[in-house]
Every structure is written in C-alpha cells, then in structure tokens.
Amino acid sequence: MLIVMKPQATEEDIRRVCEKIEAMGLRAHPMPGAQRTAVGITGNQGPLEAAAFESLSGVAEAIPVSKPYKLVSREVKSEDSLIRVGSGANAITIGGRELAIIAGPCAIENRAQAFAAAEAVKKAGARLFRGGAFKPRTSPYSFQGLGQEALEILAEVRREFGLAIVTETMDPENCDQVEEYADVLQIGARNMQNFSLLKRAGRSTKPVLLKRGLSATLEEFLMAAEYILSEGNYNVILCERGVRTFADHTRNTLDLSVIPAVKRVAHLPIIVDPSHGTGKREKVTPLARAAIAVGADGLMVEVHPEPDRALSDGYQSLYPEQFESLMTEVTAIAAVLGRTTAKPLPIAE
Amino acid sequence: MLIVMKPQATEEDIRRVCEKIEAMGLRAHPMPGAQRTAVGITGNQGPLEAAAFESLSGVAEAIPVSKPYKLVSREVKSEDSLIRVGSGANAITIGGRELAIIAGPCAIENRAQAFAAAEAVKKAGARLFRGGAFKPRTSPYSFQGLGQEALEILAEVRREFGLAIVTETMDPENCDQVEEYADVLQIGARNMQNFSLLKRAGRSTKPVLLKRGLSATLEEFLMAAEYILSEGNYNVILCERGVRTFADHTRNTLDLSVIPAVKRVAHLPIIVDPSHGTGKREKVTPLARAAIAVGADGLMVEVHPEPDRALSDGYQSLYPEQFESLMTEVTAIAAVLGRTTAKPLPIAE
Amino acid sequence: MLIVMKPQATEEDIRRVCEKIEAMGLRAHPMPGAQRTAVGITGNQGPLEAAAFESLSGVAEAIPVSKPYKLVSREVKSEDSLIRVGSGANAITIGGRELAIIAGPCAIENRAQAFAAAEAVKKAGARLFRGGAFKPRTSPYSFQGLGQEALEILAEVRREFGLAIVTETMDPENCDQVEEYADVLQIGARNMQNFSLLKRAGRSTKPVLLKRGLSATLEEFLMAAEYILSEGNYNVILCERGVRTFADHTRNTLDLSVIPAVKRVAHLPIIVDPSHGTGKREKVTPLARAAIAVGADGLMVEVHPEPDRALSDGYQSLYPEQFESLMTEVTAIAAVLGRTTAKPLPIAE
Amino acid sequence: MLIVMKPQATEEDIRRVCEKIEAMGLRAHPMPGAQRTAVGITGNQGPLEAAAFESLSGVAEAIPVSKPYKLVSREVKSEDSLIRVGSGANAITIGGRELAIIAGPCAIENRAQAFAAAEAVKKAGARLFRGGAFKPRTSPYSFQGLGQEALEILAEVRREFGLAIVTETMDPENCDQVEEYADVLQIGARNMQNFSLLKRAGRSTKPVLLKRGLSATLEEFLMAAEYILSEGNYNVILCERGVRTFADHTRNTLDLSVIPAVKRVAHLPIIVDPSHGTGKREKVTPLARAAIAVGADGLMVEVHPEPDRALSDGYQSLYPEQFESLMTEVTAIAAVLGRTTAKPLPIAE
C-alpha cells in the first residue's frame, strides 16, 4: 500500500501517517518527491483497507501496489531516483543527465598501481574509482585482495584525486569495515541473493551498487534491491554485468534489454559493466557505446595501468589509452540522447 | 587452404589454379579482392601441400586456414564483404558505410496493408522492404502466410516504391518460387541448421539473409553461413535476432556482443533484428540504437500500419511514427561512428 | 473442438460427423479409442458451437480443447498411444509395457560396419536399428552420410537381422527416398521446427520419431508433433536428447523431467537418447538407467563395433560389450516399474 | 601438490611432513585413507619441487595435482569419502552402500507440524530430517523462518525421533547459532559462492551439505566445496537441485548427468533434491527414482503433513503417503545398483 500525500501536506501530517502505520505493527517508508511525499507501507500479510488512511489529514489517496516489489516500483515513486555520492565539491549525482563513469582496476594491488590507475581514469573523465579490497574468487587459492591495506590505499586515492570510491563488501561483518572507507558499497553478482548482506547494506548510510546475479530474472534483481530499500536505504544503483547462457564467444552474455525493462517499472538508476559483461578487452568499448545508446545511466569499466601484469582480470582490463578512446566515443553517443559525461577533474600538479 | 594470387596475376593464372584444384577432386572458390584475388579450396579430407600450388604462375602463397569455417573467415578474405542488392538506380550495398535498413510488416496480409507499410517505411528512410509470404509458425493452426499471392504483392511493392524485397524461404522446393520475386532470400532462425535449405540457397543468385538460431553458438552460426558460401553464393548477410535464455522480461535475449565477435573473425556484414530480439514494441527503438552503437551494419524492423490489427507479431511491430523516430535516433548514433543512413527515396506523387 | 462419440456409435455415425465437419471447411481427425471413438476438429479460426454437433446421431458430447496443441493432447485422447512399427513376425509396439530399444551406429559407413553393429545390438536385445544415411552436420566439410548406398545397406540389415530400421530424413524431397527404406522416419533436433518437413512427414504412412530441439520448450515440442498429426499421421514417437544450457560437463543437458511432463498432457510415447544427451560414452549407461527409471518408453543409443574408428560421434558411441551391460541394467530397472525389454531375437546361424 | 605416504609410514612421519609444509608458509591437509595417508598442500603460488618432500622419511611420492580443485579431487583421494553424521546409535554414514534419505518440511512452522512431519518421514524410512529455521526468500516480505524457536524444535525432533537434523545457515555469524543445533549445516544454492560463509563452514566441526548454484558449472561447484575443505572441514556432501535454463515446464532443470560427472573427478558423496529440482509435486517421485538410478548417494525431499497449508513451497511438498510410495520405489531401484535404504527406525510408543 502507498499513501500519497497532498502537495500541501505538512511535516506533521506525514509524521502522523507514519505513526498510524507503525501503530499497526507495520513499517512506514516516507519518500519525498518533487511535488509531494508518498509513504510506502511494508510488512502487512494481506491487503490493507484504504479507508483507514484516507481519512487522515493531508492524505490524497491510498493505493495498493500490484507488483511483488514495492519500494523500488514506479507505482510508489514515478520520478527517476537521483543518488547522491560523496560530498562537498566532489559530490556526484547518479541517475540524472550526467552519466556516472566508474573506472579502475579489478583489485588494488599496491599503492603505485592504484595511483597510476586513478590518475589515468581521472584524466579521461571518470569521477568514481573502482578497486577491490576484498575479492570474491572462484578458487580459494587465488589472490583474495589486500583487505584493510587496500581500503587505506583507496582512502588515499580519494584524498589525492578527489575520486569517489566504489568497493565491494562480501559479508555483513566485513561491511562495517568497508563502509568506513567506501563512498559506494558494491555487492557482487554472486552475492545478489545473499540476503543477510542485503539487509546489512540496507542499514548503511552509504549508497549501494547492486550487481545483477548471473542467472537472475528481472523480478529477482528488483526483489534483491527491495531487500535493501525495505531496511531504509533508498540509495541503490543497479548494475547489469552479463548473464550466463550457452553462448561461448564472451564470458557472459550482456543483456542490454534489461535497461529499458528496469526503467519501465522501477525508479532506480542502472549502469552497465561491459568488462565483466564480455570478459574480453576488445569488446568493452563497443558494448560501452551500446550501453549508453540503450539508455544506461553510466558505466563501470576495468582499467589497469599494465593489464598484462594484473593479478586478476587482466585480459578484460583496458589500457589507459583505450579508456580515453572509450570516453570520447561514449560522450558522443551520450550527446545524441541529451546526456553528458562529467568534465574531467583538474589534475593537481 | 587458401591460394593468394599476386596482384599482377592474370585471369588465365586464376583459371589454371582453379583447374588444378578441380583436377584433384576438390572445389575452387575464387574470391576477387580490392588488391588481388584469393582462391579458397574446400573438400579436402586432410591437409594439402602448399608446394603443389606455390609453383603455379601468378600464385603469391598458399596458406592453411586454421578455423573450422573457411570461406567466411577473415583469414581467407581480410576486407569486409560488400553485398550488392537489387540493380539499377535502386541498387543498395550492404556492409559499407551506409547502414542497411530493412523494414515492413511481419506478414503480407493484403495489398492495402503492404502498400501502407511500404509508403511509411520508405518515407522514413528504409531502402529494403520485409514482409512474409510464407510464415514459419509454432502452431499448424496459425496464419501461415498468403504464399504466392503475397509474393505478387511484394513484386508490386518493388515496382511502385523502388524498395528491395526481403522475404523468407522455408524449404528447398519453395526456394524456386521465392527466388523469382525476392531481392534477398531470408532464412529464419528455426531453419539456421536446415542444411538442405542452406545448400539450396548456396546455389541461388540472390543474396541470403541468414538469421542466427535461437541457441546457436558463434561457430555454428558461421558454419551455417559457410554452407551457403561453400555452394558458391558468397552474398550472405548475417542477422542477430536474440537467443533463448532463462530471462523472461523479453521474448529472446538480444546478444549484441556477437556483432564485434563476428567482425573479428568473419568478413560478412551483420545486422540486428530488435523486433524479434525483444518481442516488445517499447524496447525496439532503444535496442536499435544500441545495435548501431555496437557496430552493426543495419537493422531489420517490424513496422505495421495498424499493429493492433496485425495477423502476427502485432505487439512487437512499430507504429509508422515510432519507426520515424527510430530512424532519426539511429541516424544520429550512426554519425558518431562515421556511418550514415540512406537519404529517403522520393515518394512518387 | 473434440467430438466424443457414444460407445455404441456406428461407423456410419462417425462418417456423418466427419462429413459435417468437412462441409464446414474444417478438418476431421477420427481417433478410435479402446471404448469409443473421438473426432478432433482442426482448422477453425474461432470457437465452434457445441450444439451444431451434439444433435448428430451417435455423438456423446462436443468439448472444447483448452491447450494450443489439440490432437496430441490427453484432452482429446486420454489413453496412451501405442505405435506399431514394422509388420509380420517382427512387428514392435512402442508405448506399451515393452520398452523400445533403438541402437546402432551414428552413421552407416559400410556394409561390414552396419552388419557388425546390427549383430551386436540384436544379440543384446535391441529390436530396432538406427543408422544415418543422411547426416545433418555442423560443417559442410564433414562426412554427410552415404545416402542411397546406406539406405540399401539398411534394407539388407532388416532382411538379415529382422530389426526394424530407424533413419533420418532431412527435407521434404529426401523424405520420398527415405520412406521407401525406413520403418521409422527420424526428424532430428535441428529440424524440429522445419515445418515443411513436419508437414511432409505428416503425410507419410510410416511412424515418425521426433527429436526435441536444442532449445525447445515443452509446448514447442508438442506443437511440432501436432504439425505431423494435423496432416493425418498419428504415429509419432517423441525423443528427449538433451537441451542447450550453460553447463559444460556434458555436450547437452539431458532434461529427464520432460518425460513425466509429456506423459501428463500428451498421449504419445516418449523415449530418451542418452548418447546425444550427454555426448560422453561413460555417461550413457547411468543416464539410460535414469531415463527408464523416470518412465521413458524406450532408448535410442549409439553403438559402434569400433567406436575409435567411427566417422562421426565415436566418443559417445558404446562398445558392443558396454551396450550389453546397459541392457542388463536397464532391464532390471524396467522390472521395478513393471516393464520389460524384448527377448533377444534368435541370431540366425 | 600431494604427498603420498608409504603404507608403513608412522604418525611421526606424517607429523614431520606437515611441519615441513608449514615451515614453508603453506598449509598441510593430512587425509587418512584405507591403505595409506596422503597430505595435500595448498597455498603455494607456483609449482613446488617434488624432491623437497620425497627425501623425507615415510614419503612414497610427491605428485602435482592437475585440476584447479585439489582436495576434492580423486587425484588426491581415489576412494569415495564416507561422511559420518550424528553419533551413537543413530549415527549415519553418507556415501557408502546405504542411501542417505533426508526428508521434512521446507520450513519449521510450529512444533506440531514438525513432529507430524518427523513421524511420517521416520516411519517411511528417512534417517535425516530437514526443516528450515532461517529461510532465504526472494521477497523481503515473505516468511523468513522462525529462527531460534525453530532450532529448538529441531533439537526436540532429534531427541524424540532419533533423526539427524539438516538445516540451513545463511551467513557466517548465523553459523554459530545453527551449528549448535544441526547435525549437518546446509548451504543453499543462492549462497554457493558466498565465500565468507564457505570459509566459516570450513571451520565447523559439523558436516556440510552444499547445494549447487542455479548457474554453477561443475568446476565452480567443486571449487565451492574446495573452499570448505581448504579450511580443514573434509565432510562435505554435494547436492544437485536443478539449474536455471529456458525450460518452463519445471521450476528448474534437474541435471542428473552431474552425478556421474562428479563421481568421476571427485571423492565426495552427492545427493539429489528432486523437490527444488522440479518444483512440482507430481514430478518428485519419478525424478527421485531417476536420481537413484543414475547413481546418487541419497535424496533430499520436501514432505509436509498438510502441503496445502504450508507457509512455503507447498506445491512441491509431498503428502506423507506419497513419500511412503517414493521410498518403496526408490528402495527397489537401489537394489538394482546393489544399494539399500535404511530400515525404518522403530517408532517409540
């Protein structure tokens, strides 16, 4: 059920609606919009009576939500959500006219590598820096990331380059640690239905980048996001990164049709990761162009100063100069859709 | 094995190489290029000796082909193939700088519907007209196409509007009939490995549009094209139209990564069908933009003058005005990649 | 619509019902059952009026069929169909208590190989012999079968060993030739939606073995069978042979759940091909046991006298002694379900 | 690298080999076998020198392991692993001649439901009881399990009925709590690559039941098990529960070919869950028969005293009498393979 407030409803009206909802043992989710506020209700077993709310002061109408996902649905919030990342001069808004470009190495390997990558991606126009501190790896014997050391390097990167930091959290406990350093908490594809982690991220104050699972349907993807919103964190950025199919010419099959499909039913921004989506360096730029052309709100791209020496995912990481070309091409495509990329930040001397 | 001729080799040199190959019980495929001619050899069981050919007059070198597909491979022909469709003033070249836009209804239903569709797509800039005369349908009880009557309507469309005709052939026998009327023979996804039909199309003088099967790997797709080339018809246009996966938000999952994958290893043009690739009208235009952005050589789009009354595929057919917008957007994206769409043909008064 | 006749309805009653149907421009499919005859109607665009038929003599009731497939549906015929193959002393019934075991090499390579295979499979208890004369191959350069020569060898195998012959037909034209020699016409997975071939097989007097396509849903599989029945040939045996998935430890993923799924909604027998279903020799016997345990009506197994020298599919063909073990194990599993395998035919001295 | 000890090697010899390995900064995994002990080494970056170990007292040979998975591989341990569950009179061995039958409701709903289910499954011959306390649910608004209350009911079930308890753990923290009550820790399909949870389970003293992920390849499945073994817990039981494909006649596609595929390369037992594998009650028994016929070491089946009132998965839960039939049929199939089910435990008056 969604309670839509009148445009002239007061803070006090909204507070009273929330109190009423909580008095019923349910959960209230006030969602301020451009014109008026709506209050989502979750936690009910069966349908609720609209009349119980429509008589309250400031309430325009109470409408049932028909989809299994509630808070992520456009039924609850028709305008696109804008997610604010970072703060101060370097704050970025994801989901608006400007594309969000997240770039950097698969894993943080050492300070020099991280700084070289950060300099390269900043120069080309990225405003967010990716780099794994904790790496989910198929093999227990593969490099698992530098952990705390990497988090500290990431903090330095933010300080030095003014880039916002996106890095992965792997379990609820580890979330406490990552949250201290990251501007955006990344939840990987293999953890898309790690419900304990989703709930924990839902209690974070940081925005969450949620990657689609390898065999997740659209509904499962949105329900995973719903877990995060239902705990009170409405700042979720979705990310398509390829699904698993029989096709063997790419590592995964990038499903770009999910972008307009998400946009149709949900208000959250969605970006594309063409690096994991293809697994092959030479396909990253063409698919990045396609992602922007289809309407994605941004990109997440692996860039490494020396891909041939990377400890992980080297074959899908771009060389810095390839990333520069990608940015040029993507910016031109974005213009056709009335969108822009950020102006590159000034590089400090 | 591929015999590469010297740039100055004469017609007579080439003829002698072909004779030698055929005297060995093998098949010769002379493929003229911009600089020089190459002659592909097929039909050998094991490897051939290069020396047997390199001593012939005009031969530059004899090189083994490493891929299972031979004639479609860039190893055999490194330049992009340009496929010429139609003749005279209305001739079109597919695979070059200009995108090939094929549009029209799923099936030809009657003369009025075909003419209305043709007028609309021509006005928006399409130069090729699609329309089924013989329809492969999942159910034996569904509308199977008007057959001969539709072919005659298509011939009228060509005469009246100057559009080249693309229509499907369903079996070797039916190919004789379709070939008389079509400018391009279409082979549908369900027939991609109908080897009898592929061989018959390989003996046609008309170019062939070959759609990727619902669960075809890249190699199987190229091997199906190889069947056509191996019979002597080198004019094949590939078409990605979505593959079958677990994802249920679209009818098929459009695999745009196959475009750069094909371009890397094969010299044939490849276009995209976003109508079957998504099965939903509102996703056709975003995916059409993405297809051009990723590097496709053209589009095949279902357009119907009255989609709500269509006898088949109505829910995925564009309204004429939607197709006009699609063309505008696609033309702008094409420009970013240095490509164009055709100038709309003049509409006769 | 299905017209169910009364148990005591006469031949004349049935004839009159059929005449009435055909006079309406529709098609009548009389299907005799153990208790009474039903007459299926196909060809109608919209729903028919029951009253138009229920007043005819001998008609019990007229019931609409709710599924997209009509003639294959248990709504139309609730008892299992029994398909009679061959004639005289060697006639076999498929779909009853006795399992149908079809075995033999992938392709007929020469008389000696065919005879050695036939002797081995007959000795182990197979009553039907498989062997390709026309082979659908991914590559145009692979061995395509001996054609007419193989058909003649197959005729000799039937004469010498008393085995019924199952062999593949690849297109409508080729069907004329194959039909002369085969006891069962096989339609391969890649041709499951070759609708021209399905219609041609529907006009044959020989039973048809229809393999499930690599990415066919249950409904598409049954609709392909419906094409054959709708042309008047009700003798269709379905065959599960693995579908295409992401899994890479087998060539295809054998979907045994389709057996009970088919049995629930359709009256046709269904067998399993564990050779193509796994693509690996060592998995054929375990999956053959599972196929019988799940309720399949038989098996189709590749057996070669010398698998290591096979011209095709050698790695998935059983050695004769492996096939003997398979038969022993399968017979024991069958007994648990109250089913049997045939007694081995006597081997002529 | 695997160090194979001589049959007559002493405890002291083995201890010295382990010390040597650990002194090199690596990890030693002593694995006692029937004839002799082997010591697996993990943690090395590159290949190790065999000579460094072969000179030690009691060492037969040092052999490199060629697969990405080490400790689960038959290269390291050629005999089947037997996993001991529970203790005392009710101890069960999984992986031997006797099949492991795990049955019970999807979720523990209350004491009466749990007891009714336990009585029914015990009577039919199950020796292990399943029942969720913590339920991973696609929707945050679905019933998430009774948590601690359910764990206490499960402990009562063990006490009253002598059944071993299998229940799911959802995250590393929650593992502490579950471990106290369960005899076997279950890790669900959606958590198969929750590496933090795998590592935590690897440090448990309880056996782990690891379900295959919805789109996990054989190698990924074994690598997930390897995570558990690499932390020192060698008691892992694998479970096939269906994978995600395009097929829509079942909820998932049960991939029974993975059973012989696992058996070929790994020494761990593997069971099958036909309830989740099909998602439809009427398909559970046929697929259970097939699972045992293909060679699985047991079954995990959902049984509910009143499926129509179940809070989750009711449509795939068997009625108690259906489970009895399943047990009868499965026991008969098992006999064909020389295996048995347990004699039903006596029901206390």
Side-chain angles (χ1 to χ4, degrees), chain B residues 2-313:
Chain B
L2 181 75
I3 312 300
V4 182
M5 305 303 293
K6 293 180 184 154
Q8 67 274 26
T10 63
E11 283 297 308
E12 177 59 20
D13 288 338
I14 296 168
R15 205 179 48 71
R16 262 199 303 258
V17 167
C18 294
E19 278 171 12
K20 162 108 187 174
I21 292 166
E22 274 150 26
M24 294 167 78
L26 307 176
R27 189 149 181 184
H29 300 267
M31 312 184 88
Q35 304 288 323
R36 52 194 190 172
T37 290
V39 183
I41 305 179
T42 61
N44 48 310
Q45 297 301 328
L48 298 171
E49 291 252 6
F53 301 97
E54 289 180 346
S55 57
L56 294 179
S57 167
V59 169
E61 55 177 337
I63 46 176
V65 179
S66 62
K67 294 281 198 304
Y69 35 89
K70 312 290 175 196
L71 304 175
V72 306
S73 168
R74 284 213 188 263
E75 291 184 62
V76 158
K77 178 161 181 288
S78 59
E79 315 122 65
D80 289 345
S81 281
L82 302 179
I83 313 293
R84 204 163 171 81
V85 173
S87 59
N90 295 327
I92 301 141
T93 298
I94 300 182
R97 196 168 159 272
E98 194 174 289
L99 299 179
I101 308 294
I102 307 171
C106 175
I108 298 302
E109 297 167 11
N110 55 57
R111 195 173 177 280
Q113 171 247 22
F115 272 50
E119 182 160 351
V121 306
K122 176 176 179 173
K123 191 176 142 221
R127 297 286 301 274
L128 299 104
F129 186 70
R130 62 151 292 153
F134 299 93
K135 298 298 306 169
R137 300 301 297 274
T138 301
S139 166
Y141 311 126
S142 298
F143 173 58
Q144 309 262 321
L146 295 183
Q148 177 63 26
E149 187 185 338
L151 292 176
E152 287 165 17
I153 294 172
L154 287 167
E156 281 192 77
V157 165
R158 175 173 41 218
R159 222 159 30 231
E160 287 290 320
F161 297 92
L163 295 167
I165 300 301
V166 182
T167 196
E168 184 158 356
T169 174
M170 286 183 59
D171 61 68
E173 215 175 21
N174 157 286
C175 205
D176 299 345
Q177 189 182 356
V178 173
E179 198 169 42
E180 249 186 80
Y181 295 86
D183 294 300
V184 177
L185 296 173
Q186 180 179 328
I187 294 182
R190 285 168 183 77
N191 275 323
M192 192 201 82
Q193 291 191 316
N194 179 338
F195 300 117
S196 303
L197 180 56
L198 295 175
K199 285 181 188 170
R200 171 63 186 80
R203 291 189 297 268
S204 176
T205 56
K206 297 287 172 68
V208 178
L209 179 75
L210 178 67
K211 292 194 147 191
R212 182 179 178 190
L214 275 78
S215 57
T217 62
L218 173 60
E219 187 173 312
E220 289 170 341
F221 191 16
L222 294 178
M223 290 306 275
E226 184 81 14
Y227 260 95
I228 302 172
L229 273 73
S230 74
E231 296 286 332
N233 186 351
Y234 304 135
N235 296 311
V236 174
I237 305 139
L238 302 171
C239 181
E240 161 67 24
R241 46 79 72 211
V243 292
R244 188 154 272 182
T245 72
F246 67 88
D248 55 4
H249 60 276
T250 40
R251 188 166 152 205
N252 298 290
T253 299
L254 198 65
D255 175 15
L256 291 181
S257 72
V258 87
I259 312 298
V262 161
K263 292 276 175 200
R264 194 177 167 83
V265 298
H267 54 80
L268 299 173
I270 179 164
I271 68 169
V272 170
D273 174 349
S275 303
H276 286 88
T278 63
K280 295 192 177 171
R281 185 180 299 140
E282 79 274 5
K283 294 192 178 59
V284 172
T285 297
L287 271 303
R289 290 193 310 255
I292 298 308
V294 90
D297 295 301
L299 297 171
M300 185 166 202
V301 181
E302 287 190 357
V303 181
H304 193 285
E306 294 176 284
D308 306 325
R309 297 183 167 200
L311 292 184
S312 55
D313 283 1

Side-chain angles (χ1 to χ4, degrees), chain D residues 187-201:
Chain D
I187 295 183
R190 284 168 184 75
N191 275 325
M192 192 201 82
Q193 291 192 314
N194 179 338
F195 300 115
S196 303
L197 179 56
L198 295 175
K199 285 181 188 169
R200 172 62 186 79

Side-chain angles (χ1 to χ4, degrees), chain A residues 137 141 171 193 196 226-227, chain D residues 137 141 190 196 226-227:
Chain A
R137 300 302 297 273
Y141 312 126
D171 61 68
Q193 291 191 315
S196 304
E226 184 81 12
Y227 260 94
Chain D
R137 299 303 297 273
Y141 311 126
R190 284 168 184 75
S196 303
E226 184 82 13
Y227 259 95

Side-chain angles (χ1 to χ4, degrees), chain A residues 145-261:
Chain A
L146 294 183
Q148 178 63 26
E149 187 186 339
L151 292 175
E152 288 165 18
I153 294 171
L154 287 167
E156 281 192 78
V157 165
R158 175 172 42 218
R159 221 158 34 232
E160 286 291 320
F161 297 92
L163 295 167
I165 300 301
V166 182
T167 196
E168 183 157 355
T169 172
M170 284 184 58
D171 61 68
E173 215 175 21
N174 157 286
C175 204
D176 300 345
Q177 188 183 356
V178 173
E179 198 169 43
E180 249 187 81
Y181 295 87
D183 295 298
V184 177
L185 296 173
Q186 180 179 326
I187 295 183
R190 284 167 185 76
N191 275 325
M192 191 202 82
Q193 291 191 315
N194 179 339
F195 300 116
S196 304
L197 179 56
L198 295 175
K199 285 181 187 169
R200 172 63 186 79
R203 292 188 297 268
S204 176
T205 57
K206 296 288 171 70
V208 178
L209 178 75
L210 177 66
K211 291 194 148 191
R212 182 179 179 189
L214 274 78
S215 56
T217 61
L218 173 61
E219 186 172 314
E220 289 170 342
F221 191 16
L222 294 177
M223 290 307 275
E226 184 81 12
Y227 260 94
I228 302 172
L229 272 74
S230 73
E231 294 288 331
N233 185 351
Y234 304 135
N235 297 311
V236 175
I237 304 140
L238 302 171
C239 181
E240 160 67 24
R241 46 77 73 212
V243 292
R244 188 154 273 181
T245 72
F246 67 88
D248 54 5
H249 61 276
T250 40
R251 191 167 151 201
N252 299 290
T253 298
L254 198 66
D255 175 15
L256 292 180
S257 71
V258 88
I259 311 300

Side-chain angles (χ1 to χ4, degrees), chain D residues 79-136:
Chain D
E79 314 123 66
D80 289 344
S81 280
L82 301 179
I83 312 293
R84 204 164 170 81
V85 173
S87 58
N90 295 328
I92 300 141
T93 299
I94 299 182
R97 196 169 156 270
E98 195 173 290
L99 299 179
I101 308 293
I102 308 171
C106 175
I108 298 301
E109 297 167 10
N110 55 58
R111 196 174 175 281
Q113 171 246 22
F115 271 51
E119 182 160 350
V121 306
K122 178 177 177 172
K123 192 175 140 224
R127 298 287 302 275
L128 299 106
F129 186 71
R130 61 152 292 152
F134 300 92
K135 298 298 307 169

Side-chain angles (χ1 to χ4, degrees), chain C residues 81 83 85 92-96 98-103 128-130 166 184-187 208-212 221 236-242 254-260 262-263 267-277 287-288 290-292 294-302 339:
Chain C
S81 281
I83 312 294
V85 173
I92 300 140
T93 298
I94 300 183
E98 194 174 289
L99 299 179
I101 308 292
I102 307 170
L128 299 105
F129 187 70
R130 61 152 292 152
V166 182
V184 177
L185 296 173
Q186 179 180 325
I187 294 182
V208 178
L209 178 75
L210 178 66
K211 293 194 144 191
R212 182 179 179 191
F221 191 15
V236 174
I237 305 139
L238 302 171
C239 181
E240 161 67 24
R241 46 77 74 210
L254 198 66
D255 175 14
L256 291 181
S257 71
V258 88
I259 311 297
V262 162
K263 293 274 173 202
H267 54 79
L268 300 174
I270 178 163
I271 66 168
V272 170
D273 174 349
S275 304
H276 287 88
L287 272 302
I292 298 308
V294 91
D297 295 302
L299 297 170
M300 185 167 202
V301 181
E302 287 191 358
R339 302 189 81 163

